[in-house]
Amino acid sequence: MTYKNSNLILKKTIKKNELVNFSKIQLSNKNINLNNLNLLKVLPMKANKDLKKGEILKLKFLKKINIGLIISCRLNSTRLPRKAIIKLGKTTSIERCINQVKQTGIKCIIIATSKKKENLLLKKIANRNNINFFMGSDKNLVLRNLQAANKYNLDHLIRVTGDSPLISYELINELISNHLKRDSDYSYNDNLPLGTRSEIIKVKALKFIYENTKTSKYGEYLSLYFKNNKKLIKCNKVDFRKEYNFKKIRLNLDYESDYNFINNLLNFFNYKKTISLNEIFLYLTFFHKENKYILSKYQSPSLSAKIKLDTKIHD
């Protein structure tokens, strides 16, 4: 059997730096040679030049997609002062977050904070854990994430908040796969406990948000800038572990009650270095009623309406 005439053909015109994934290619016949099989293994990638519909796809036309993980963190919290460096067992909260995200295999991990002297302590933590450190805009979280993404030449960023010592590395990997497969601008989950969730954002979409919304006041709630503009931005909701229903459980570190609950959970597992979702769900099955769900102040009807208006892109 011969495979010499089998090629991967582009189904549509693709511009430079545009994503090349399975939906944009087809086989020239029913067979495929080994070289093409190897090419399929590396997709999705992005085009390093403009490619025409019907053109044969070759590895030399492609380059790697740069994905980084940004942990947004500052030391000026008021509800739970300096919560990023509060100890959970013998490890600080932010370092537990770092240990969790390292399980994803992402090479570019960045602590992104504001340009205030007090936040230089986070640089020591970043250095100690062999990850990157970035200082950017103080009040504009949208701009700070965009600045960090530009510095590290990212195409997509995974957004994690520094108050999430139990962030799910399993969800992050699922989001990456789904996000790239669907060529989404923004991918998120909202059926896992608060503090285990993350988001993936196409940097071009983040730039679009920055340039077209009138305020950055609610940057802490960056997701709203995307969810309130679904007609203009390709949003992708990814449900994960549907068999569990702990959507309203707080596992983010914002209040003293959060600290006590998370500390008890970690103590249950002897303060091991990383905690899986299965272990979290096991604990919550028995103890979730002990954790009170505290509604964010931004969920009041009047303020929610104002935020929706301010984060909306108007034609």
Side-chain angles (χ1 to χ4, degrees):
M1 184 179 293
T2 178
Y3 302 101
K4 289 184 178 179
N5 296 321
S6 179
N7 291 300
L8 296 174
I9 306 295
L10 291 170
K11 293 162 64 174
K12 58 181 289 187
T13 295
I14 294 176
K15 294 182 179 180
K16 184 178 178 180
N17 290 324
E18 188 178 336
L19 187 72
V20 181
N21 58 18
F22 296 109
S23 68
K24 298 175 183 177
I25 59 174
Q26 63 185 4
L27 293 179
S28 60
N29 61 39
K30 293 182 180 179
N31 298 317
I32 184 167
N33 62 31
L34 292 179
N35 288 333
N36 282 341
L37 275 179
N38 290 329
L39 180 54
L40 286 172
K41 289 178 183 178
V42 301
L43 293 180
M45 295 182 78
K46 61 181 181 179
N48 60 23
K49 55 176 283 189
D50 290 344
L51 301 172
K52 296 180 180 179
K53 179 181 178 180
E55 190 170 354
I56 296 172
L57 185 63
K58 297 179 181 179
L59 185 59
K60 66 180 181 179
F61 298 157
L62 303 172
K63 58 183 177 179
K64 184 180 177 183
I65 300 167
N66 293 325
I67 300 175
L69 190 147
I70 297 178
I71 303 173
S72 297
C73 184
R74 293 186 298 175
L75 292 179
N76 65 342
S77 53
T78 55
R79 289 183 293 246
L80 191 61
R82 295 167 72 84
K83 60 186 177 182
I85 57 173
I86 197 169
K87 288 289 186 72
L88 291 164
K90 296 181 179 181
T91 309
T92 63
S93 169
I94 188 66
E95 286 177 286
R96 285 205 165 271
C97 179
I98 292 168
N99 290 338
Q100 291 287 114
V101 299
K102 279 186 174 182
Q103 293 296 306
T104 64
I106 296 291
K107 302 299 181 186
C108 183
I109 299 173
I110 309 152
I111 290 181
T113 189
S114 65
K115 294 178 180 178
K116 289 195 173 181
K117 189 175 180 180
E118 62 184 343
N119 292 322
L120 286 172
L121 178 57
L122 295 172
K123 184 175 183 179
K124 294 181 180 179
I125 292 174
N127 291 340
R128 185 164 71 231
N129 288 274
N130 298 310
I131 65 172
N132 301 298
F133 179 76
F134 177 81
M135 299 182 87
S137 176
D138 179 30
K139 296 182 179 180
N140 191 331
L141 186 61
V142 179
L143 177 58
R144 192 195 316 159
N145 276 272
L146 189 57
Q147 290 170 330
N150 288 336
K151 178 178 179 178
Y152 292 95
N153 195 31
L154 302 182
D155 299 304
H156 303 263
L157 66 90
I158 303 157
R159 179 175 176 253
V160 172
T161 56
D163 59 1
S164 304
L166 295 174
I167 191 75
S168 168
Y169 50 86
E170 301 100 325
L171 172 64
I172 291 172
N173 284 333
E174 176 70 19
L175 280 175
I176 292 171
S177 176
N178 202 292
H179 179 82
L180 294 178
K181 180 180 178 181
R182 296 177 179 273
D183 195 12
S184 303
D185 292 323
Y186 171 73
S187 295
Y188 68 102
N189 167 275
D190 68 0
N191 74 329
L192 290 184
L194 297 168
T196 64
R197 306 173 195 169
S198 52
E199 305 160 306
I200 301 187
I201 303 168
K202 185 182 288 186
V203 174
K204 285 184 179 179
L206 186 64
K207 184 179 180 182
F208 177 76
I209 285 292
Y210 174 69
E211 292 176 347
N212 289 280
T213 47
K214 66 178 183 180
T215 180
S216 61
K217 183 178 179 181
Y218 308 107
E220 183 181 355
Y221 294 83
L222 183 55
S223 61
L224 296 177
Y225 285 87
F226 294 93
K227 293 174 183 176
N228 289 337
N229 295 288
K230 288 184 177 180
K231 290 183 179 180
L232 299 172
I233 294 169
K234 189 176 179 182
C235 293
N236 175 32
K237 180 182 173 184
V238 181
D239 287 334
F240 192 57
R241 301 291 177 93
K242 295 179 183 179
E243 66 271 27
Y244 295 98
N245 185 25
F246 297 121
K247 179 177 179 177
K248 293 188 176 181
I249 294 296
R250 291 182 58 87
L251 292 178
N252 51 329
L253 198 55
D254 234 356
Y255 301 93
E256 186 175 354
S257 59
D258 299 331
Y259 171 78
N260 293 333
F261 188 78
I262 292 171
N263 201 42
N264 288 339
L265 185 153
L266 289 167
N267 182 50
F268 184 83
F269 292 107
N270 297 314
Y271 294 100
K272 60 185 293 190
K273 187 174 181 179
T274 58
I275 303 291
S276 70
L277 266 182
N278 284 337
E279 288 167 320
I280 290 171
F281 289 141
L282 173 65
Y283 185 85
L284 292 179
T285 299
F286 295 101
F287 300 110
H288 69 277
K289 291 182 180 179
E290 295 179 12
N291 195 30
K292 295 179 181 178
Y293 179 57
I294 303 171
L295 286 172
S296 164
K297 66 179 181 179
Y298 291 97
Q299 290 178 268
S300 67
S302 59
L303 194 50
S304 291
K306 177 169 174 49
I307 292 172
K308 187 169 184 179
L309 178 65
D310 286 353
T311 57
K312 187 81 172 174
I313 295 173
H314 298 282
D315 297 333

